[in-house]
Structure formats: C-alpha cells, structure tokens
C-alpha cells in the first residue's frame, strides 16, 4: 500500500518547502572553550555551549528557571521566556541561554534586576497558561510546574488563564498526538523538532502578538488534517501538557468526579473517523483539501501570516490605524 | 533634460504632485517636477527662479502654472504673478532656499536640501549639487566616527557608525548594505524627494565596506517612495554595486532592523532575531550587514562632499496640528521650535516624542539632540505627536499599549505577554485599580529583557505619562476624565 503511486512523490528537497515562520537566528555557541565566573565560582564553558551551561553546572545563588531552554539535539536556544536573565559586569542583564560567552565574563544570578526579570517573566508565562494542573496529564512532570514550584510562586502577579471563554478547543483529532494550546508557552521546541530535526515541515509558529500560536504549514485546522506523520518528537520535547501522546493524556490527573483532562477546557476538535492514507510524503499532495468536517466548529483558526488589518488605513480620530493605536479601553 | 541650475531663462519648479498635467507648457520657462517638500500644506508649491532670485507660490493649482510662467516671462521678473514669498540666493543654488511659508520657514535644508528643489531621480541635478563624490574608504570611515545612526530602524541608533563599519569590513562573507526606509515619514520623504542623496550615501558606504549589494527596503504602503527609489536606482550613473528595492508589510514592527532583514529574506512571518551577535556580524543571509535609515545615509552623503555631517535632525510633527510637517533643524534646537513649525491646533497639552512608543511630556524646552531627549526619557525616532487640551493622556497611552499588544511579533514573553498585561493594568485604572508600582515593575522588566527595541520601548508611553501626568491617572481611578473624552464610552 505504501508503495502505490511512488512516482508522484518526487518533491523537491523537503527543506526548501519548510516554512516554520521563525527567524533565522545567528549562532551563539562557543567555538572554543572559555572560563567564566558565576556567583564567584569559576566554570569552564565548552565548545557549543552558552552561559546557561555554566549556570547549570554549579549551585547558583538564585534559582534560574530557564524555562524554554532545551539544549539538546539542535533545538534552541529560542530565548523567548526570558526566565534565564542574569547580570553580567560588561553587558548588564542578559539571557543566559542565548548570550555568547566571552572568556573571563563575570555573572551574578542574585543581582536585583536579573532576579526581578526572571520572576516577572515567569509570572507572565503563567498569566497565559491554563493552570488546571489536576486535570493535566503532565501534572508532576511539567517543566512549567517545576519552575513555578522551584521559584516558590504562590500567587502569580498577573493571575493565570482561567477564563474559559478564552480557551482554544483541545485538538483531539489525531489518533496519536493531542494539542492543548491553552498550555502552550510558545517555546518553539516542537516546531524545531518537527522541522529542523525530523524535517517533516508540519508545525509552524503563526500569528503575532497575543494571537501567536502553533499551527500547521499546510494551513490545516486540525492535527488530523495536517501532514503530521505522528513521529511524536513534538510531544517528547514539549515542556508542558500542550502536546501529549494520546493514551497517556490523562495519566497523572487527579480523579475528581466529573473533571477529566478532556473537559478541563470544555471544547475540542474530534477525530472525523475518515480513513487516512499512508503516512508518507505523498500525503502532502492530497491531504490539503479543506472540506473535512469537524465535530466541533469552535473557531480558533488563525489567519495565515498574522499580518491582518495592517492595510487598514481607514481614517479616524487619530489618523490611520497604526497612528490611532489599539482599541481602547 | 537641461540642467535646472542653468541661468539662461526662468526655471519653474513644481513640488508636491507626483505628476503634472500634460497641458502644462511653462510658456518660455523650463518646467521641472521636483519632489515633496515635507510640508504638504504648502503644496503644490510652484517656485520660479531667475538667476539668484526665487518666487514661491504656495497651494498653487497646477492650472495656474502657465499663467505664472507667462507673467514672469513678460515681465522678466520672478516677482510677477503675485507670489507668496520671494527669496534672494546665490545663482545655481542646489538646495531649497527656505521661504517664509508655514513649516518651510523653520530650520535648515542640509540633509533634506534636495527635497522640493532637485528633480528626485535626475542624476544631473544631484551631480550639480556636488554629489557622486566616489569617496575613498578611509574618508567614509572618518565620517563614520562622527556620525550617529538615525531612528529605531537603524542598526546603531544614536551611536557612532565607524565601529560596526569596521566590524563589517573585517567580518566573514560578502557584506551587504540595507537602506531601511520603513515606517518613518522623514525616511519616506527622502526616498520620494531625494533618493539619489540616499543612494549616493549608500553607494559610498558600500564601496568602503566592499559590499556586494545595496538593498532599499520600504513599507509596501509607501508606494511613491518605492517607485521613486526604483527610478533613481535605474538612473544611477555607472553604479558600482547593484541596487535592489524591496518592500515589507506595512506594520510598525517591520521597521525593526532584524525584522527588516527577515522581510528582505522573504520570510512570510516577521519576528525579531536574538542578538548578539548583531546584524553587522550575521545579517542578511548570514552575511555581515549594515542597516541604516535614509536619514543616516543622507547625512553621510552630505558629509562626503562637505567634509563633515551637518549635525541636524529631521523631525516630523503630526497629531493635533494645523499642518503636519517634516523639518530639519540644528541639534541645538528645542522641541518648541519643531512643534511650532506645524502650528498646534488649539491649546497644547502634551507631546509624544519618539515615534509610536514615544515618551509623553509637556515640556517643550527639551533639546532635540538624542542625549537631551534621552535624559528626559523621550525617544529620538524623529516623530513628534501633538496632543491638544481636549485629548486624554490615559486614553492615548492605553491605545499605544494596546497597539503594542496587538502588533508585537509574538516571540518573547516580556513583550508578548508584558504588553497584554500592561494594557490590562491600565484598563484597571478605570475600575479604580491604579497601581503605579505594578506598572513600573512590569515596564522595567519589559525594558530590560525584551529581545528587540519594540519591547524595550513599548512601555515608554505609559512610563513617561505616569510621571508627567500622574494626576490624570488618579483622576480616572476616581471615575473622572479631566479631558472629558474617555469615560463616557464606558458609561454609555
């Protein structure tokens, strides 16, 4: 079955078509060993490492969550969560995960500005996270939960994402991988695993501002309709319960009557039950039809490039849209 | 076409319109369409020059051009035809002699000298002004030691350029020069009106860096600027490097240098790159890249023929003014001079200084030099927005913050989530929940830990307004809008 119409799979090299929507970052890793001083301790940084490696090697004065840092298999540094900010003598407050090490650098984790930045940024991550941990399959093995516990967060400054009206439906349409975007911290690990490591070109970052989300390069709405080959690397690298393998999505939930992992959000995309073809590259060609129905039409579709309303030059009190500013109050 | 600087007959310049009706003959005068002046309110501006004297006709309908030309021709005197102002100047002048007209009477015309005076895409006019200097690399480097980058779209805003230029020259790979004209009115004006000045600066820099290409980048909305830049590039005599003109989406963040590079590379989604290493080490397609605004490069171009940068600032005044204007003033001038150039409509309450996320103040005695603006917590992006007495500062700051929440690239937490939470904290003011300490703390972290200048600056309107107009925030917390403009919609 998998050999049928093999001749149609003569696509160009896959990497040419891959469009993850992320920036081409410069290399930041050391190309020669260096020595730095972290909280008074001398540490050697090796080839291919950044400041975070030195920090993780010793007992630092203060906790450095470095939440989005992965540091393996060519994934990251994304440097998006900014919970790894540390003070340097020469450059002020810098992100340890992505700041290129200079030989002889002096770093403090306990400096007030850096400490405040880590705390506030961790709370900002929590502000946009569905924190119904007891209904989450990653409860007890969640990097965000660990970071919040380590940082002794008791009452996040900006609350948590607990407005059910704002929740995106859980994408439960795939037989193998579930997406709950309400728990996504946009660390981009899954996108890099999918594109840079597995070279599948399925996931991407899309939208901008508060509409930024993980989506599909094929413009599909659901995991089932996407070109996903169910390799599972995205679920492996996900720091939270946002991408989980089906079957264990409720592995660690607390058995409260009436509350399940699924209804913690209250809306979902379900599998359509349609038979799918083989999981080969040729699927790209015929899976793009958008007429498959969903059992839940709950919206949640992002607009293509996220550049909406930018040509809106309608004149108003303050001139064009950009000059007028955002909707207020 | 004949040189505009020839003095064997009247020369009639028309500034403002993008084209002239075919019916215009100019009688016995040579008629030249020049670029915009930076003050749309005086345009179409018709200027008749004979020898060392120019007469100005502001807001002159194009169907009067032939009449003026005929009367000047008959009288042999440019003052015929009821001009609004007349200026004497050296014959063959290559820069607009500033008339006593709204907006144009303010400041000087050095970096903006070609605007409204020389034909934008005509190499003869630029050459007659002393352009196409073909400088040697060390001369360019010497200018770079005393020239600062202009605007947030510049790789080195308010910092000397010689250092990145040396890094680029010594870096790995073929250097690239990017002209970032995205989003700033003075930069768009320079592309529309003085593109050869900009390209001359870029070409001189490219030659000194050994760059393989010059890329002009502008907003897709600035169609006239893009079109004029393309024509100027095509007309550029014996270009030493190829010049390409590309556009990016008309959204504010697309002017940020790393997002400009992403747009030029063709990424469908724009987000900031992490730095360091900065673009001068790893830029366009991984090559060492300098990114400078037209304002910076026009300063360089003028400096290359006159020996030193003019040390002026181009500023654009918008908002509650009678006639928005882009003016060039010496760095010793104050905001008051600049604001006066546009004439405040009504009573002035505050100005937002420094672009979309400028600082809010009511003190117009601050100098326009970046160091003075910085000391006053204001921005040096060159855009000043006037708020008149009936504007609510809380509303203005709220709108700026909400815009930041909607238009940020979405990459880093302090900007993406911080702007959303900041807008929330500002909204809570309306419900009595005014917490200046929480607002300050959040803005401090956005400023210290965002990846790019968007997030670093996004909190500036709120931070500066809190200190200059704290009583307005307190009044809103008490349910009262002093300007009477923004609480009614909530109660309705």
């Amino acid at each position: 079955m998998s050999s049928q119409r093999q001749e149609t799979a003569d696509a160009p090299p896959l990497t040419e078509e891959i469009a993850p929507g992320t920036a081409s970052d410069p290399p930041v890793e050391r190309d020669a060993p260096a020595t730095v001083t972290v909280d008074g301790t001398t540490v050697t940084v090796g080839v291919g490492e950044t400041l975070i490696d030195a920090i993780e090697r010793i007992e630092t004065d203060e906790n450095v969550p470095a939440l989005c840092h992965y540091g393996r298999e060519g994934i990251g540094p994304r440097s998006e969560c900014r919970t790894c900010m540390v003070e340097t003598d020469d450059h002020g407050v810098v992100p340890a995960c992505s700041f290129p090490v200079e030989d002889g650098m002096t770093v403090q984790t306990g400096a007030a500005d850096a400490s405040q930045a880590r705390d506030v940024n961790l709370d900002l991550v929590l502000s946009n996270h569905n924190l119904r941990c007891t209904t989450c399959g990653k409860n007890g093995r969640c990097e965000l939960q660990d970071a919040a516990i380590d940082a002794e967060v008791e009452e996040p400054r900006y609350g948590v994402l607990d407005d059910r009206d704002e929740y995106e439906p859980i994408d439960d349409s795939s037989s193998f991988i579930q997406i709950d975007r309400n728990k996504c911290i946009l660390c981009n690990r899954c996108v890099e695993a999918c594109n840079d490591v597995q070279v599948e070109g399925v996931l991407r970052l899309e939208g901008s501002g508060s509409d930024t989300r993980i989506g599909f390069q094929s413009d599909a709405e659901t995991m089932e309709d996407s070109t996903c080959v169910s390799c599972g690397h995205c679920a492996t690298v996900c720091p939270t319960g946002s991408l989980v393998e089906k079957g264990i999505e409720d592995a660690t939930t607390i058995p409260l009557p009436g509350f399940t992992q699924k209804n913690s959000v209250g809306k979902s995309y379900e599998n359509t039950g349609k038979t799918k073809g083989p999981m080969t590259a040729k699927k790209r060609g015929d899976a793009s039809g958008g007429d498959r129905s969903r059992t839940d039409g709950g919206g949640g579709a992002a607009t293509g490039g996220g550049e909406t309303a930018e040509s809106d030059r309608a004149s108003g009190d303050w001139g064009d849209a950009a000059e007028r500013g955002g909707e207020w109050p | 076409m004949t040189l505009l600087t020839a003095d064997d007959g009247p020369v009639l310049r028309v500034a403002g319109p993008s084209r002239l009706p075919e019916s215009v003959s100019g009688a016995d005068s040579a008629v030249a369409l020049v670029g915009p002046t930076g003050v749309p309110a005086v345009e179409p501006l018709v200027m008749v020059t004979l020898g060392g004297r120019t007469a100005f006709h502001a807001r002159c309908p194009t169907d009067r051009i032939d009449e003026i030309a005929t009367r000047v021709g008959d009288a042999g005197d440019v003052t015929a035809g009821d001009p609004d102002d007349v200026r004497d100047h050296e014959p063959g002048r290559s820069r607009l002699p500033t008339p006593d007209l709204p907006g144009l009477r303010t400041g000087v015309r050095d970096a903006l000298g070609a605007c409204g005076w020389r034909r934008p895409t005509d190499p003869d006019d630029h050459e007659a002004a002393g352009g196409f200097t073909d400088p040697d690399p060390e001369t360019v480097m010497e200018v770079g030691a005393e020239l600062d980058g202009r605007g947030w779209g510049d790789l080195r805003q308010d910092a000397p350029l010689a250092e990145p230029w040396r890094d680029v020259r010594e870096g790995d790979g073929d250097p690239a020069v990017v002209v970032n004209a995205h989003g700033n009115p003075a930069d768009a004006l320079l592309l529309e009106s003085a593109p050869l000045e900009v390209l001359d600066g870029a070409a001189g820099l490219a030659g000194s860096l050994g760059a393989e290409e010059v890329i002009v980048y502008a907003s897709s909305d600035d169609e006239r600027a893009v079109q004029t830049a393309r024509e100027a590039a095509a007309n550029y005599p014996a270009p030493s490097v190829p010049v390409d003109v590309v556009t990016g989406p008309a959204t504010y963040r697309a002017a940020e240098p790393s997002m400009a590079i992403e747009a030029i590379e063709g990424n469908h989604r724009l987000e900031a790159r992490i730095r360091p290493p900065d673009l001068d080490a790893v830029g366009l397609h991984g090559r060492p890249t300098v990114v400078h605004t037209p304002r910076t490069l026009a300063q360089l171009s003028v400096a290359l023929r006159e020996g030193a940068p003019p040390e002026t600032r181009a500023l654009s005044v918008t908002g509650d003014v009678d006639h928005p204007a882009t003016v060039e003033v010496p760095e010793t001038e104050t905001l008051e001079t600049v604001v006066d150039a546009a004439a405040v409509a009504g009573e002035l309450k505050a100005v937002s200084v420094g672009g979309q996320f400028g600082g809010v103040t009511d003190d117009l005695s601050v100098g326009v030099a970046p160091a003075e603006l910085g000391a006053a917590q204001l921005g040096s992006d060159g855009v000043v927005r006037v708020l008149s007495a009936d504007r609510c500062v809380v509303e203005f700051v709220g709108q700026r913050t909400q815009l930041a929440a909607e238009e940020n690239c979405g990459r880093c937490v302090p900007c993406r989530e911080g702007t959303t939470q900041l807008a929330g904290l500002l909204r809570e003011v309306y419900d009595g929940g005014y917490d200046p300490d929480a607002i300050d703390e959040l803005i401090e972290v956005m400023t210290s830990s965002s990846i790019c200048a968007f997030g670093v600056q996004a909190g500036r309107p709120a931070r500066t307004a809190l200190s200059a107009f704290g009583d307005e925030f307190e009044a809103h917390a008490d349910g009262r809008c002093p300007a009477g403009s923004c609480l009614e919609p909530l109660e309705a």
Side-chain angles (χ1 to χ4, degrees), chain A residues 55-124:
Chain A
I55 285 166
E56 289 184 342
R57 211 158 280 155
I58 65 158
E59 193 70 32
T60 49
D61 287 353
E62 281 195 21
N63 170 45
V64 179
L67 184 56
C68 72
H69 172 64
Y70 189 63
R72 296 191 293 277
E73 299 167 16
I75 293 175
R78 177 68 177 165
S79 207
E80 68 97 18
C81 74
R82 313 304 261 190
T83 62
C84 67
M85 305 304 288
V86 294
E87 176 87 21
T88 61
D89 277 5
D90 292 340
H91 304 283
V93 177
V94 304
C97 76
S98 66
F99 199 84
V101 172
E102 294 164 5
D103 199 34
M105 257 180 143
T106 303
V107 176
Q108 263 102 36
T109 61
D113 285 355
S115 186
Q116 180 191 47
R118 294 194 302 270
D119 287 351
V120 168
N121 285 329
L122 182 56
D123 278 0
L124 285 171

Side-chain angles (χ1 to χ4, degrees), chain B residues 71-111:
Chain B
R71 288 175 65 178
V72 168
D74 291 349
D77 180 357
V78 295
T79 60
D82 303 321
D84 295 295
D85 191 31
V86 179
R87 291 280 125 177
D88 289 321
H89 50 81
E90 75 277 20
R93 186 182 165 93
S94 61
R95 295 174 295 167
L96 176 72
T98 48
D100 189 17
L101 291 172
L104 291 178
R105 69 172 66 98
T106 301
V108 295
R109 306 293 281 197
D110 289 329

Side-chain angles (χ1 to χ4, degrees), chain B residues 456-478:
Chain B
V456 170
Q457 296 175 357
R460 185 162 56 196
R463 188 184 62 220
T464 49
L466 243 56
S467 82
F469 292 92
D471 51 343
E472 284 215 18
F473 287 82
E474 279 161 22
H476 281 76
D478 291 339

Side-chain angles (χ1 to χ4, degrees), chain B residues 36 41 110 115 146 199 247 290 297 376 380 399 410 428 442 464:
Chain B
D110 289 329
C115 300
E146 48 187 331
L199 291 179
T247 61
V290 291
L297 293 166
S380 60
Q399 288 169 334
E428 281 174 21
L442 177 54
T464 49

Side-chain angles (χ1 to χ4, degrees), chain A residues 19-28 77-82 85 93 98-100 113 116-117 120-121 124-125 127-128 157-158 185-186 204-210 212 305-308 310-311 313 317-318 321-329, chain B residues 221 249-251 253 262 265 267-274 276-277 282 318 356 385 387 391 394-396 398-400 402-403 405-414 416-418 420-421 423 425-427 430 441-442 444-445 448-451 490:
Chain A
T22 50
S24 303
D25 284 330
V28 294
R78 177 68 177 165
S79 207
E80 68 97 18
C81 74
R82 313 304 261 190
M85 305 304 288
V93 177
S98 66
F99 199 84
D113 285 355
Q116 180 191 47
V120 168
N121 285 329
L124 285 171
V125 173
S127 76
N128 198 12
R157 290 167 177 77
Y158 315 108
I185 64 166
L186 295 169
R204 72 176 180 194
L205 216 55
E206 62 187 22
S208 59
S210 51
T212 310
E307 311 290 11
T308 52
E310 274 151 10
S311 57
R313 305 277 289 185
D317 213 12
W318 291 101
E323 292 188 344
R324 192 167 61 244
E327 279 294 309
W328 193 260
Chain B
D221 268 10
T251 182
R253 71 174 178 280
E262 287 287 322
E265 288 183 0
N267 200 338
H268 68 282
R269 178 176 173 274
L270 298 189
E271 63 169 31
R273 292 183 182 176
I274 54 173
V282 186
T318 60
Q356 195 87 272
R385 172 167 288 269
L387 307 183
R391 295 286 181 193
V394 178
E395 180 185 39
F396 175 75
Q399 288 169 334
R400 294 285 131 157
Q402 182 59 30
L403 188 79
E406 289 164 9
E407 302 241 322
N408 71 73
C409 79
R411 177 161 184 174
C412 71
V413 163
R416 182 185 70 231
E417 309 297 346
T420 297
Q421 292 303 326
L425 289 173
L426 293 172
R427 279 197 180 85
Y430 291 83
E441 179 191 56
L442 177 54
E444 269 177 34
V445 172
S448 72
S449 61
S450 289
I451 288 180
L490 278 185

